[in-house]
Each structure stands twice: as C-alpha cells, then as structure tokens.
C-alpha cells in the first residue's frame, strides 16, 4: 500500500505509574547523599549512624534454621506454618504479657515496612477516610495514607483528634525517631478513646525489646486492653531484636476481626513470607539468649555515643528506648548534619520525621564497636 493509503499506526498505551508516584513525597534519604560524600572523605572513613540497619551477625541458631529449610520448592502459605503461628503466640504471651492468643490472633507479614505502606489500601481506605500518626514519626505512615488516597494528619495527643472518618490510628512506642515510650495508663486511655469512637488502632512496637531507661509495654497487655483485643493490632518485627532486617520477617498480633480479612486480601496478593524465613523466625522467637546478647551490644554503644554527644554540646531528649538517640544543638538539623559530616559522621536530619524535628538529628546505634569508637574519638 502507498503511504497515502496505509492504515494509521495502532496507538500503543504504556501503563503509567506517574499518578501513583505523584501522591508520594520525594524519598528523603536522597537528600543525604552530599553529606554522605563529605563524611566518606574523612581520613578515617565514614561512621554511618544515619540508617538503623543492623550490622552484627545473624545468630547461628537462626542461620542453621534457615539453611535447614533451604530445600523448600513449594509455595509457602500467607498465614505461615503452624510452627510459626505457635512461635508467635508463645512469644506474645511470654514477652508481651498477652493472654489467650490463638492462631486467629496472628498474621505473618513480609517485613513491617511493607505492612505499614500498604495497610490503608488493604483496609479499603480511600478519599475522605483519615489516617493519623504521631507528630514525629516514621515517614511510611504518611506514605501508606497517600498510596490509598486517604487523608492524613499528625497528632500530639490522639484523643484530641476529631474522630469523624478517622479510620486508622497509628501508635508507635517505643518511638522512631525519638525513643519515647508510652506508659500503661497512657496507652489504656488512648485505647479506651479509640474504642469509644470506633477507631482502629495499629500499634507499631518493633523496638519493644530495646528499652533502656523505661520498660516498654504492649498495647496487648491486659492492663492496657482490658483482656480484649477488639479494635487493636500490634506490629512486631525481628529485624532489630534478632538482626534479621535482610530476612524480612515481621508479624501482627491482635483482633481476629481485622486480621481475618487482611489474611484473605494478602492471599490474593501473594504476600507470602518465604518458607526458609518462616523457619528462621521460629528459631528466633523461641530463643531469648541472643536477644539479651544483642541488647548488651547496643547498650554499650548507646552509653558511649550518648556521653560523647553530651560532651560535644548536644542535648539528648527522650531516647529512653529504641535504637536511636534524639539529639539537638538548638540549630537547624541540616547545620548539625553538615557539622557532623565534617567529622566523618553521618546522621539523619530530624525533619525526615516531620517539621517538629527540624532542630534535631537521629543518631543510630547500629554501627560496629570499632566505628562507634571512631565516632566517640572524633567527637
């Protein structure tokens, strides 16, 4: 056919993720790259205290469990093996003081960040629904709301929120980034208010094993929830307590009326924790010795870094738990980041966690003893 009679080309439409991407803020950690380069140029090398990623070895008993389960050719189940569910229920009762936890009260997830980011969507939230989280908070709470096109807001006291259309209330104790811990009475007051207004509570408790000047308590504790799990779910992770961030092993414990539908949705989405990771999680949850040993490592690093920062002119606020020191020199967080980068030390600016953090930095305890010692010497 001639050019004049050739049919018009078929339009090819490529799927676009622009609308989804446009809902999200810029990825904050990209802004740290210039300061990371400055810190890396230090003659003694960088001391990276910015991201709280574990650096110590995975405990041997967990690695052995992973290897023993390596020959897993079949698909794993979303709900996890009965052994994993037993391990979670046993740990929740032993460590959190929860009572009468059954398999219906638990749900494994593929790391806690995945859960936080997609929970509002999986709960069916959308425009007009509201998600609330602490004034200083892990950025992914907001990301989850944005992905679902839900409204989002930060709070100082959740019981002062307007409960209308408030569908999801995030608690975070011990807090990331501040290390603040909510006590039993405070948690009980919030749970009571939420139940009164029909607000679903998800409590991010991933740092609960890491209390220093305070003993963190779970929202599942009988003195908090009154022995009922109605309307509450706790989020837990093995990343920090067991150095398993690379394994993506986390789980939920709480209201079966919430977890049951989530299980069905996640089945359709194929959100399965790999079988070897499930076996490793069983080993991790069944052993407390490695947790105590890791706590001692972090306690020593925390003491050394805290003392050095205070001598250097910092003030430490909260920080009674978790893997971070919430520190300030009463200046812009970016001035502090720049100052420490000049010493070869990289930290996270507080405004990553909300405008209220603009004069603070978050200093992670997740560096080797040798790197922590280098930071102390430079400070």
């Amino acid at each position: 056919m001639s050019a004049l009679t050739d049919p018009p080309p078929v339009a090819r439409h490529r799927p676009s993720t622009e609308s989804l991407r446009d809902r999200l803020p810029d990825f904050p950690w990209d802004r740290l790259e210039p300061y990371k380069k400055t810190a890396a140029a230090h003659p003694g090398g960088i001391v990276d205290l910015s991201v709280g990623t574990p650096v110590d070895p995975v405990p041997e008993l967990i690695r052995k469990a992973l290897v023993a389960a390596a020959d897993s050719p079949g698909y794993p189940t979303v709900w996890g093996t009965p052994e994993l569910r037993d391990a979670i229920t046993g740990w929740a009762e032993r460590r959190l003081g929860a009572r009468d936890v059954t398999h219906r009260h638990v749900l494994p997830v593929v790391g806690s960040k995945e859960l936080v980011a997609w929970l509002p969507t999986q709960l069916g939230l959308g425009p007009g629904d509201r998600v609330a989280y602490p004034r200083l908070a892990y950025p992914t709470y907001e990301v989850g709301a944005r992905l679902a096109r839900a409204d989002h807001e930060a709070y100082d006291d959740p019981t002062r929120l307007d409960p209308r259309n408030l569908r999801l209330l995030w608690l975070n104790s011990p807090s990331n980034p501040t290390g603040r811990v909510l006590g039993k009475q405070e948690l009980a007051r919030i749970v009571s208010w939420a139940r009164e207004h029909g607000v679903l509570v998800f409590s991010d408790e991933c740092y609960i094993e890491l209390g220093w000047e305070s003993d963190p308590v779970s929202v599942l504790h009988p003195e908090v929830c009154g022995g009922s799990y109605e309307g509450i779910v706790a989020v837990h992770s093995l990343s920090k307590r067991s150095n398993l961030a690379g394994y993506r092993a986390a789980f939920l414990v709480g209201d079966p009326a919430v977890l049951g539908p989530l299980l069905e949705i996640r089945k359709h989405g194929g959100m399965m924790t790999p079988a070897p990771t499930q076996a490793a999680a069983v080993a991790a949850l069944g052993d407390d010795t490695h947790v105590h040993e890791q706590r001692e490592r972090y306690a020593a690093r925390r003491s050394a870094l805290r003392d050095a920062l205070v001598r250097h002119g910092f003030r430490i606020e909260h920080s009674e738990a978790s893997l971070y020191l919430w520190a300030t020199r009463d200046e812009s967080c970016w001035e502090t980041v720049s100052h420490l980068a000049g010493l070869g030390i990289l930290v996270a600016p507080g405004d990553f966690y909300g405008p209220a953090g603009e004069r603070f930095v978050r200093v992670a305890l997740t560096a080797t003893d040798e790197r922590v010692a280098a930071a102390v010497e430079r400070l």
Side-chain angles (χ1 to χ4, degrees), residues 10-302:
V10 176
R12 289 182 171 85
H13 297 287
R14 291 183 298 174
S16 173
T17 59
E18 286 185 8
S19 60
L20 183 64
R21 172 62 187 88
D22 289 346
R23 296 181 215 166
L24 304 179
D26 292 335
F27 190 61
W29 294 97
D30 292 343
R31 296 168 60 197
L32 261 187
E33 281 304 312
Y35 302 93
K36 186 174 184 178
K37 290 179 180 177
T38 298
H42 190 279
I46 189 173
V47 179
D48 192 343
L49 306 178
S50 61
V51 182
T53 186
V55 297
D56 298 303
V58 173
E60 186 177 3
L61 84 161
I62 299 175
R63 282 182 281 153
K64 285 183 176 179
L66 182 83
V67 171
D71 186 14
S72 298
Y75 289 112
T77 63
V78 174
W79 200 16
T81 62
E83 293 79 12
L84 177 56
R85 283 177 263 143
D86 282 342
I88 295 171
T89 59
W91 179 85
E93 294 192 348
R94 183 179 79 250
R95 179 60 185 85
L96 306 181
R99 296 290 178 265
D100 301 319
V101 181
T102 71
H103 286 196
R104 293 175 56 248
H105 293 91
V106 305
L107 178 63
V109 294
V110 192
S112 58
K113 184 169 185 176
E114 169 263 306
L115 181 278
V116 173
W118 293 105
L119 178 65
T121 299
Q122 292 175 11
L123 290 173
L125 274 58
D129 296 321
R130 292 163 54 230
V131 177
Y133 45 81
R135 182 78 56 195
L136 285 163
Y138 184 46
T140 312
Y141 303 136
E142 177 183 338
V143 167
R146 287 177 176 270
L147 286 171
R149 297 184 184 270
D151 297 328
H152 55 88
E153 60 189 291
Y155 65 77
D156 293 309
D157 178 351
T159 66
R160 295 189 178 183
L161 292 167
D162 182 347
R164 289 175 296 180
N165 298 322
L166 180 58
R167 298 283 304 281
L168 174 60
L169 174 64
W170 278 107
L171 303 181
N172 180 208
S173 176
S175 163
N176 173 16
T178 69
R180 182 186 175 204
V181 172
L182 300 177
K184 286 180 184 177
Q185 291 184 342
E186 178 74 355
L187 285 170
R189 181 179 70 86
I190 295 169
V191 168
S192 176
W193 176 87
R195 284 174 171 166
E196 178 184 350
H197 295 286
V199 176
L200 175 62
V201 173
F202 263 69
S203 181
D204 181 346
E205 302 173 354
C206 290
Y207 296 91
I208 203 165
E209 300 268 23
L210 298 164
W212 312 115
E213 298 160 7
S214 179
D215 187 15
V217 65
S218 173
V219 74
L220 304 175
H221 193 284
E223 293 180 30
V224 173
C225 68
S228 167
Y229 303 124
E230 179 185 359
I232 58 173
V233 177
V235 182
H236 288 276
S237 168
L238 300 182
S239 294
K240 306 300 193 292
R241 75 184 289 278
S242 300
N243 299 335
L244 294 188
Y247 284 43
R248 311 315 301 138
F251 54 91
L252 309 178
V253 185
D255 190 346
V258 176
L259 299 188
L262 279 180
L263 172 60
E264 295 305 314
I265 291 166
R266 294 173 68 84
K267 283 180 180 178
H268 282 291
M271 295 178 173
M272 302 171 282
T273 304
T277 295
Q278 292 190 32
V282 172
L285 288 167
D287 178 72
D288 293 329
T289 300
H290 78 276
V291 180
H292 296 313
E293 292 173 349
Q294 189 60 44
R295 275 180 52 86
E296 290 302 310
R297 294 187 190 103
Y298 284 137
R301 293 166 187 166
R302 178 180 182 272

Side-chain angles (χ1 to χ4, degrees), residues 315-336:
R315 184 176 75 255
I316 309 297
E317 291 194 2
H318 295 302
S319 307
E320 58 261 32
S322 84
L323 280 181
Y324 313 104
L325 293 169
W326 189 237
T328 181
R329 298 203 310 171
D330 294 311
E331 64 186 6
S332 161
C333 60
W334 288 99
E335 289 182 37
T336 305

Side-chain angles (χ1 to χ4, degrees), residues 44-49 344 367-376 378:
I46 189 173
V47 179
D48 192 343
L49 306 178
T368 64
D369 292 342
E370 183 273 331
R371 289 289 82 189
V372 168
V376 169
R378 296 173 194 181

